[in-house]
Amino acid sequence: MQGLTFDEYGRPFIIIREQGTKSRVTGVEAVKASILAAKTVARTLKSSLGPKGMDKMLQSPDGDITITNDGATILEMMEVENQIGKLLVELSKSQDHEIGDGTTGVVVLAGSLLEHAEALLDMGIHPLRIAEGYEMACKVATDNLQKIKATFEFSKDNIEPLIKTCMTTLSSKIVGRLKRNMAEICVKAVMAVADLERRDVNLDLIKVEGKVGGTMEDTRLVEGLVIDKDFSHPQMPKELKDVKVAILTCPFEPPKPKTKHKVEIDTVEKFEELRRQEQKYFTDMVQLCKDSGAGLVVCQWGFDDEANHLLMHEGLPAVRWVGGVEIELLAMATGARIVPRFSELTAEKLGFASSVKEISFGTTKDKMLVVEGCPNMKAVTIFVRGGNKMVLDEIKRSLHDAICVARNLVRDNSIIYGGGASEISCSLAVEEAAHDVVGVEQYAMRAFADALEAVPLALAENSGLAPIESLTAVRKRQMEEKNPYLGIDCNEVGTNDMREQNVFETYLSKRQQLFLATQVCKMILKIDDVIKPGEQ
């Protein structure tokens, strides 16, 4: 019994309590148990890798169904119970947050690294020596990426290189057949809000809105905002041109006392007086808006029916219940100031939009407002259409990945070639470097080189090719021709040269994948004791 110790008189006493109700695994067994859990999670994602990757259908506890092949989404919704499995979920999340793309690849790579570490553990090599070897190999691999990367020159007028890279990202998604159109939409959205001098992109300024109905082809980029609201009165005009916009965060209602209040009315005159007073409030409010020169009032709160009627009567179109985020984006786009009180509304605080129109969809009576032609065109909306909610959500996720890729290229315009070409090249480089290493780490470096080949192997397998034959053929050619741009021909175009196939990945994404996967493996290999509460 591990928690039991004896004092000098031979009396037993317990150091760790309730050891009986806890389950405990130690030593190499603990490492192997961890590796098994990680391999199981990685195996689930393997079939989703690449342009021919399969989708997963996940059902949440409350019955919502999600169909996706985005690694981070799959792992998040799988509700992994195992602690080590959760580490891999965190791994794909951090790749998603930092880079936005490559979430499946990073988990497959981590699973493969751990799988190869298991064979080394069976040989009796200490887990820490394996981790150190992996660290050395990771350095060699990232140095090799530095050598084989290419640089893409692009500008506001020449965005073709960005579009080609985004098309690679979208080729494995549901929008694959429309990848050209979708990539153009994403790149234009990013370039509209990009700060090219600082080489930065604020993704908060790109809003992805969707509406069920229509087809994928109807997806378009709105150079402005799409607000999921309609004009507050059905008789207000449906389209406004060159309009000044007032943005209010105060309600169109008479003021209410803060404390509990009671008004006693015992005569008709008093009631009339109260009604006149209330009407005067509304008339003053509407008049203040008209005096400032506003042609459209956007309000964060609701209107009284009387206020709504008055606004319509005065010919002042209005929108109510617009959310806080949308209010901010609208203020940024139109150049308006958000006004908290009617008394502060002046002509200088108004924004401008060249077109505000209400659009309706099919027979559903759903309406939305499209605000376009704003002076500070720093906020754009991608308006997505899809046959059903599942398709719509998956298109949004796919576009998010492509937007992130375009953003990474604005930050660092280095790319490497996809299709497993960079992994095979790094694998060869690590194997070459392993010859010069003396000691046990040499084995770990060789294992790292073999593990890197998991990505091209999975690509070939998912594309219906013979995995080992395809990989060895490409590997042989890379060695003979010293050409690091040869990868797996997943789409059976007839050439293995990824430059001709236009298959690119961002250098930042691939480097991050290697770093993160190696760190997680190192962390898992260092765990030698797992203590967890026993089953009740």
Side-chain angles (χ1 to χ4, degrees):
M1 195 171 173
Q2 283 166 331
L4 205 60
T5 314
F6 297 91
D7 64 8
E8 65 265 36
Y9 302 111
R11 290 180 303 215
F13 65 93
I14 291 174
I15 296 173
I16 305 173
R17 271 209 76 73
E18 293 177 346
Q19 206 56 30
T21 63
K22 288 194 166 94
S23 62
R24 185 171 182 183
V25 191
T26 53
V28 176
E29 287 308 311
V31 183
K32 284 195 172 176
S34 306
I35 290 174
L36 180 65
K39 271 170 30 184
T40 312
V41 173
R43 207 172 292 137
T44 313
L45 286 194
K46 219 173 203 174
S47 60
S48 293
L49 195 70
K52 300 272 200 304
M54 306 299 272
D55 287 5
K56 304 274 182 268
M57 184 169 169
L58 302 141
Q59 187 172 359
S60 68
D62 51 2
D64 288 345
I65 291 173
T66 306
I67 298 174
T68 181
N69 73 353
D70 177 57
T73 312
I74 294 170
L75 289 181
E76 205 172 321
M77 295 196 64
M78 262 169 57
E79 293 181 5
V80 179
E81 284 294 314
N82 185 286
Q83 266 39 52
I84 300 298
K86 281 181 181 165
L87 273 180
L88 288 192
V89 177
E90 292 298 321
L91 167 73
S92 78
K93 260 193 207 162
S94 55
Q95 174 80 9
D96 197 26
H97 292 166
E98 188 63 29
I99 303 293
D101 189 32
T103 49
T104 312
V106 71
V107 176
V108 171
L109 183 58
S112 175
L113 285 171
L114 288 167
E115 201 168 327
H116 284 79
E118 196 171 10
L120 299 181
L121 287 171
D122 289 340
M123 287 166 66
I125 298 174
H126 193 278
L128 267 185
R129 302 295 294 272
I130 300 173
E132 280 162 18
Y134 275 4
E135 201 71 38
M136 290 157 72
C138 180
K139 178 144 184 26
V140 173
T142 45
D143 290 348
N144 183 60
L145 282 182
Q146 191 79 29
K147 285 186 202 135
I148 63 171
K149 71 176 184 182
T151 312
F152 258 5
E153 292 308 326
F154 64 88
S155 62
K156 285 255 185 206
D157 311 315
N158 175 28
I159 55 172
E160 191 57 34
L162 290 177
I163 292 172
K164 282 183 176 168
T165 315
C166 286
M167 279 164 67
T168 305
T169 303
L170 293 172
S171 60
S172 65
K173 309 286 184 197
I174 193 169
V175 291
R177 62 190 176 87
L178 293 173
K179 59 185 176 186
R180 173 85 209 179
N181 307 10
M182 295 292 186
E184 279 178 18
I185 287 173
C186 293
V187 171
K188 281 175 184 164
V190 169
M191 292 308 274
V193 301
D195 184 343
L196 290 179
E197 276 147 37
R198 275 179 48 230
R199 305 199 76 143
D200 195 25
V201 180
N202 181 1
L203 290 186
D204 292 340
L205 297 173
I206 302 174
K207 201 158 159 274
V208 182
E209 272 287 339
K211 208 65 170 167
V212 174
T215 59
M216 276 192 247
E217 284 85 346
D218 299 335
T219 300
R220 68 189 184 101
L221 178 68
V222 177
E223 297 202 338
L225 286 174
V226 175
I227 300 171
D228 196 359
K229 297 282 175 246
D230 54 355
F231 286 119
S232 59
H233 198 289
Q235 287 173 319
M236 286 177 180
K238 301 294 177 221
E239 188 165 355
L240 306 169
K241 293 278 184 206
D242 300 331
V243 65
K244 288 190 171 174
V245 185
I247 299 179
L248 303 171
T249 54
C250 44
F252 264 92
E253 287 171 356
K256 292 185 176 75
K258 293 272 190 292
T259 55
K260 283 189 174 179
H261 59 283
K262 197 161 71 175
V263 180
E264 285 190 8
I265 299 172
D266 48 12
T267 64
V268 175
E269 287 77 21
K270 280 186 182 173
F271 182 75
E272 282 294 324
E273 177 62 32
L274 183 70
R275 203 182 72 81
R276 264 198 304 278
Q277 188 63 39
E278 200 172 77
Q279 202 160 14
K280 187 175 180 306
Y281 271 123
F282 289 134
T283 323
D284 291 350
M285 286 172 185
V286 175
Q287 201 52 48
L288 282 168
C289 295
K290 293 236 10 147
D291 292 347
S292 66
L296 169 67
V297 177
V298 177
C299 185
Q300 190 173 3
W301 303 105
F303 305 162
D304 213 291
D305 284 348
E306 194 156 350
N308 203 5
H309 174 73
L310 265 171
L311 284 164
M312 199 276 295
H313 215 67
E314 293 286 338
L316 189 59
V319 186
R320 56 183 163 185
W321 298 119
V322 179
V325 178
E326 289 167 330
I327 285 253
E328 282 173 22
L329 285 173
L330 190 62
M332 276 181 201
T334 58
R337 302 279 292 278
I338 298 173
V339 181
R341 278 181 287 277
F342 284 98
S343 52
E344 293 177 19
L345 191 57
T346 57
E348 298 81 64
K349 294 184 178 174
L350 300 181
F352 176 81
S354 61
S355 153
V356 178
K357 64 175 179 221
E358 187 179 277
I359 50 174
S360 53
F361 302 100
T363 57
T364 56
K365 297 194 176 70
D366 275 347
K367 294 185 176 66
M368 281 181 134
L369 286 177
V370 179
V371 183
E372 286 182 298
C374 308
N376 310 343
M377 211 33 268
K378 274 292 181 191
V380 293
T381 306
I382 298 175
F383 188 53
V384 183
R385 303 300 308 277
N388 58 38
K389 191 173 178 299
M390 284 176 276
V391 171
L392 202 62
D393 291 343
E394 181 62 356
I395 295 173
K396 283 186 187 176
R397 278 190 289 270
S398 310
L399 293 180
H400 169 262
D401 282 10
I403 289 168
C404 289
V405 166
R407 182 209 41 192
N408 294 335
L409 281 174
V410 170
R411 283 184 175 174
D412 179 352
N413 58 349
S414 308
I415 55 119
I416 50 168
Y417 290 87
S422 55
E423 280 90 351
I424 297 170
S425 170
C426 288
S427 168
L428 292 169
V430 171
E431 208 160 287
E432 191 69 35
H435 296 315
D436 306 330
V437 175
V438 182
V440 181
E441 284 82 1
Q442 185 184 38
Y443 281 99
M445 287 179 79
R446 288 212 181 115
F448 190 96
D450 292 342
L452 279 172
E453 291 173 356
V455 173
L457 270 174
L459 282 174
E461 197 173 332
N462 293 346
S463 305
L465 308 170
I468 295 169
E469 285 156 35
S470 310
L471 173 66
T472 44
V474 174
R475 194 184 153 100
K476 177 169 175 277
R477 279 187 62 193
Q478 272 212 26
M479 284 175 79
E480 285 172 359
E481 299 170 28
K482 297 274 181 284
N483 178 358
Y485 308 126
L486 297 172
I488 304 289
D489 178 16
C490 295
N491 293 325
E492 295 178 16
V493 178
T495 170
N496 287 91
D497 196 326
M498 293 296 136
R499 286 174 297 187
E500 287 174 37
Q501 284 206 27
N502 284 331
V503 177
F504 315 116
E505 290 181 73
T506 55
Y507 164 69
L508 284 177
S509 169
K510 191 56 73 183
R511 197 188 65 181
Q512 187 80 359
Q513 279 187 22
L514 287 171
F515 276 149
L516 288 177
T518 310
Q519 278 169 13
V520 164
C521 289
K522 200 172 169 185
M523 192 179 190
I524 292 173
L525 287 170
K526 285 176 86 170
I527 298 170
D528 81 325
D529 199 343
V530 179
I531 305 170
K532 55 184 178 185
E535 301 297 321
Q536 291 299 319

Coordinates of all heavy atoms in Angstrom, one line a residue, residues 66 84 214 420 430 479-480 532:
T66 N -24.1 19.3 -35.7 CA -23.1 20.1 -36.4 C -22.3 19.1 -37.4 O -22.0 18.0 -37.0 CB -22.0 20.6 -35.4 OG1 -22.7 21.4 -34.4 CG2 -21.0 21.5 -36.1
I84 N -5.5 13.8 -20.9 CA -4.5 13.9 -21.9 C -5.3 14.3 -23.2 O -4.8 15.1 -24.0 CB -3.7 12.6 -22.1 CG1 -3.0 12.3 -20.8 CG2 -2.7 12.8 -23.3 CD1 -2.0 13.3 -20.3
G214 N -31.5 30.5 -50.1 CA -30.6 30.8 -51.2 C -29.6 29.7 -51.4 O -29.6 28.7 -50.7
G420 N 1.9 18.1 -48.2 CA 2.9 17.2 -47.5 C 4.3 17.5 -48.0 O 5.3 16.9 -47.5
V430 N 15.8 16.4 -41.0 CA 16.0 15.9 -39.7 C 16.8 14.6 -39.7 O 17.7 14.4 -38.9 CB 14.6 15.7 -38.9 CG1 14.8 15.0 -37.6 CG2 13.9 17.1 -38.7
M479 N 14.6 13.4 -52.8 CA 16.1 13.2 -52.5 C 16.9 13.3 -53.7 O 18.0 13.9 -53.7 CB 16.2 11.8 -51.8 CG 15.8 11.7 -50.4 SD 15.9 10.1 -49.8 CE 17.6 9.9 -49.4
E480 N 16.4 12.7 -54.8 CA 17.2 12.7 -56.1 C 17.3 14.1 -56.7 O 18.3 14.5 -57.1 CB 16.6 11.7 -57.1 CG 16.8 10.3 -56.7 CD 16.1 9.3 -57.6 OE1 15.3 9.8 -58.5 OE2 16.2 8.1 -57.4
K532 N -5.8 10.1 -9.8 CA -7.1 10.7 -10.0 C -8.1 10.1 -9.1 O -7.9 8.9 -8.6 CB -7.6 10.6 -11.5 CG -7.6 9.2 -12.1 CD -8.0 9.3 -13.5 CE -7.9 7.9 -14.1 NZ -8.2 7.9 -15.5

